[in-house]
Amino acid sequence: IERKRFAPQRYKSVVAASELSAEGIARTYGVSRDRLTVIRHGVDPAYFSPGQRQARRKNARARLDLAPDELVFTYIGDSWKGLEFAIRGIAVSRSPKMALIAAGPFRAEKYAALAGELGLRLICENDWSDIRDLFSAGDIFINPTPMDTFGLAVLEAMAMGLPVITTKYAGVSELFKDGENAFILERPWDTAAIAGLAALLSDPACRERISGRGIELAAGLSWEKPALDHLTLYEKLIKKFAKNRSFC
């Protein structure tokens, strides 16, 4: 299906959400780079904001029966985006005051059993009308994905003031500087590295430093730029089409 979708006769241009995605499309389907345009996703920094997190945090944590001193990681997405790696890595830290909230279209039983074996409190929670409550309940966002064309939830979590852990296999990581405004894993399955970051981020000062710089970055990544980039691309294609028709 994808090979037919990217067949040369079916497109004038292909939009990719990241350089990582563009490289994959070019390599796998033979799409020439002159037909590929990278337009990254944005975030609404008014909707996903530290103020929203602060306003929602108390009720969100109370609903999940989270203690004030519990360090809570939030994971959102399909299980293949690294849920098992997150569970194993956080569990390696051996801290009884750490918990993981996981929400996504996956069967909870398998991961609840794994977390139970490893002694990690896992809260599989999908009964939420507003994703901002899941971000608000957490202290750190974790996304140890082995593959993601972008990873919008990572950027939304960052905009709300959570320090984020992701991987170089997420397109969104192209926007970050490792150790400055986010943490970028070289290997998603490196549970020792995840445990090390969990220990590092147990320090409130470290969380505040990373999240502060992340908020600054996200504030400049509104949806306005990708919207304008799409309009510019459409205008370019329309002009090209009109020019070609004039010679028919």
Side-chain angles (χ1 to χ4, degrees):
I1 291 173
E2 285 192 339
R3 288 189 183 281
K4 289 183 177 180
R5 178 185 300 166
F6 290 115
Q9 67 273 19
R10 293 184 61 87
Y11 62 81
K12 298 299 181 184
S13 182
V14 175
V15 175
S18 62
E19 289 292 341
L20 179 71
S21 180
E23 290 171 5
I25 292 170
R27 182 176 62 253
T28 306
Y29 304 111
V31 178
S32 59
R33 285 307 302 252
D34 64 318
R35 294 201 179 204
L36 275 160
T37 301
V38 175
I39 302 179
R40 295 183 178 88
H41 297 319
V43 66
D44 184 344
Y47 188 82
F48 295 99
S49 71
Q52 283 288 332
R53 179 173 174 234
Q54 184 177 7
R56 295 166 179 269
R57 184 171 173 80
K58 183 177 179 180
N59 288 340
R61 288 180 73 97
R63 178 175 169 181
L64 297 173
D65 193 28
L66 294 167
D69 60 344
E70 260 184 301
L71 186 66
V72 179
F73 292 77
T74 299
Y75 172 100
I76 294 174
D78 293 285
S79 57
W80 57 262
K81 291 189 177 184
L83 179 54
E84 181 177 343
F85 306 145
I87 292 170
R88 292 187 181 279
I90 297 168
V92 166
S93 68
R94 299 296 180 189
S95 173
K97 292 294 185 179
M98 290 184 181
L100 172 63
I101 302 169
F106 54 83
R107 293 189 175 184
E109 296 81 3
K110 171 184 175 181
Y111 299 98
L114 175 63
E117 291 173 7
L118 297 174
L120 173 67
R121 183 185 180 197
L122 174 66
I123 303 168
C124 293
E125 184 60 62
N126 282 318
D127 187 23
W128 292 82
S129 59
D130 195 323
I131 194 174
R132 291 176 296 179
D133 290 327
L134 291 176
F135 293 139
S136 299
D139 299 294
I140 300 156
F141 189 81
I142 185 164
N143 171 245
T145 181
M147 189 279 288
D148 201 330
T149 55
F150 189 76
L152 185 57
V154 180
L155 191 55
E156 292 169 346
M158 176 178 280
M160 288 198 76
L162 278 78
V164 303
I165 300 170
T166 187
T167 75
K168 68 177 185 179
Y169 300 104
V172 70
S173 69
E174 297 167 2
L175 299 169
F176 305 154
K177 291 185 178 179
D178 183 37
E180 181 174 319
N181 47 33
F183 289 106
I184 303 171
L185 294 165
E186 285 289 316
R187 296 177 296 278
W189 53 87
D190 190 344
T191 54
I194 294 173
L197 291 176
L200 185 65
L201 288 167
S202 65
D203 178 3
C206 179
R207 294 201 302 276
E208 184 176 356
R209 176 178 65 84
I210 296 295
S211 66
R213 292 174 179 173
I215 291 168
E216 290 177 6
L217 175 66
L221 298 173
S222 74
W223 282 107
E224 182 178 359
K225 185 179 186 305
L228 292 174
D229 287 346
H230 273 94
L231 290 173
T232 299
L233 177 61
Y234 297 156
E235 183 179 14
K236 176 183 175 182
L237 293 173
I238 289 169
K239 286 181 177 179
K240 185 177 181 179
F241 177 74
K243 181 180 179 180
N244 289 341
R245 286 196 66 184
S246 67
F247 290 101
C248 292

